[in-house]
Amino acid sequence: MAEVRLEPSWKALLAEEFSKPYFEALVAFLRSEKQRGKVIYPPGPQIFRAFDLCPVDKVKVVILGQDPYHGPGQAHGLCFSVPKGVPPPPSLQNIFRELEADLGFPPPAHGDLTGWAEQGVFLLNAILTVEAHKPTSHRGIGWETFTDRVIAQIARVRPHVAFLLWGQYARSKKHLIDSTRHLILEAAHPSPYSAEKGFFGCRHFSRANAFLIEKGLAPIDWGRLD
């Protein structure tokens, strides 16, 4: 079984995955790449940061990205997010633009979404690693199998979750989610190439909160990005 350092509630929920051949092959691939001197993002301790910041029983909202940023210092284990001190990439700038239009929160001075994760927003990339300067370079090595299982398990064990699916890739995952129990919100991707085609004006932040309130749950303070 592959040894994975993971927040305990997630490790228990996903325990079966770590002994499956695909996951052992995934771990072996990453080790081999590092031994060959390849630079992989995010740094090892941050690969599962979305899980560490948002235990299973805290998940209220899921935002699904595709794979990590591939530039130096950008990826830190939360989809669309960058650490403080790193300029927000264009997609994140557009997310902040929609947030301001929807709820009136002005864009923060940084792009770190940790404040969302700590409130129950699970910021999951479908692919959890990438080779430096090579977008989607770790597609097909096993991460998608793992994160599909993550999505399906969230949909199974959590009672009421708002899933925000932005772009064709994220929307392809909706078959994993029971729409009779959960809210599925779909829109175009926030990238500059597609944001004007349905991301702007989607009002997903207020719609997700309305759903949570309807289910008796505390809404997300989307403006809490200290």
Side-chain angles (χ1 to χ4, degrees):
M1 175 183 291
E3 181 57 36
V4 178
R5 293 183 183 179
L6 191 61
E7 190 277 330
S9 66
W10 286 110
K11 192 161 189 175
L13 185 65
L14 301 167
E16 291 183 6
E17 300 305 299
F18 305 132
S19 59
K20 291 181 178 178
Y22 86 86
F23 198 89
E24 294 184 341
L26 165 60
V27 172
F29 172 83
L30 293 173
R31 286 176 177 160
S32 174
E33 291 292 276
K34 289 181 179 179
Q35 289 171 356
R36 294 170 59 200
K38 297 289 184 69
V39 176
I40 295 173
Y41 298 133
Q46 296 182 345
I47 290 173
F48 294 105
R49 190 159 176 263
F51 300 79
D52 295 335
L53 291 175
C54 189
V56 175
D57 66 351
K58 303 296 185 186
V59 176
K60 296 179 178 179
V61 177
V62 175
I63 298 178
L64 185 64
Q66 186 164 358
D67 70 336
Y69 296 120
H70 55 87
Q74 290 182 307
H76 67 151
L78 306 175
C79 73
F80 294 109
S81 180
V82 291
K84 288 183 173 70
V86 176
S91 290
L92 183 54
Q93 292 179 36
N94 285 338
I95 290 170
F96 289 151
R97 178 177 161 186
E98 173 59 22
L99 177 63
E100 183 172 24
D102 186 6
L103 290 172
F105 294 120
H110 59 83
D112 187 346
L113 303 181
T114 297
W116 290 358
E118 291 173 340
Q119 296 181 72
V121 181
F122 189 52
L123 297 163
L124 179 67
N125 275 314
I127 303 165
L128 296 183
T129 57
V130 68
E131 184 179 339
H133 309 297
K134 294 184 178 180
T136 66
S137 51
H138 286 181
R139 176 189 291 165
I141 67 169
W143 281 128
E144 298 95 329
T145 302
F146 177 72
T147 55
D148 278 3
R149 184 62 174 161
V150 171
I151 295 165
Q153 287 286 65
I154 292 171
R156 183 181 70 85
V157 304
R158 297 292 294 143
H160 308 295
V161 176
F163 289 84
L164 279 50
L165 307 181
W166 298 336
Q168 184 176 355
Y169 185 83
R171 295 167 79 171
S172 73
K173 306 294 184 178
K174 66 181 178 180
H175 70 281
L176 300 167
I177 305 160
D178 181 353
S179 61
T180 66
R181 299 177 61 208
H182 306 290
L183 177 66
I184 301 174
L185 296 175
E186 301 180 57
H189 194 276
S191 83
Y193 303 104
S194 56
E196 298 281 0
K197 300 175 182 176
F199 179 75
F200 292 137
C202 70
R203 300 183 63 85
H204 280 188
F205 304 102
S206 61
R207 292 168 68 186
N209 273 355
F211 172 78
L212 295 175
I213 293 168
E214 176 192 329
K215 299 301 181 183
L217 302 169
I220 304 299
D221 181 355
W222 294 103
R224 200 189 93 189
L225 290 172
D226 303 327

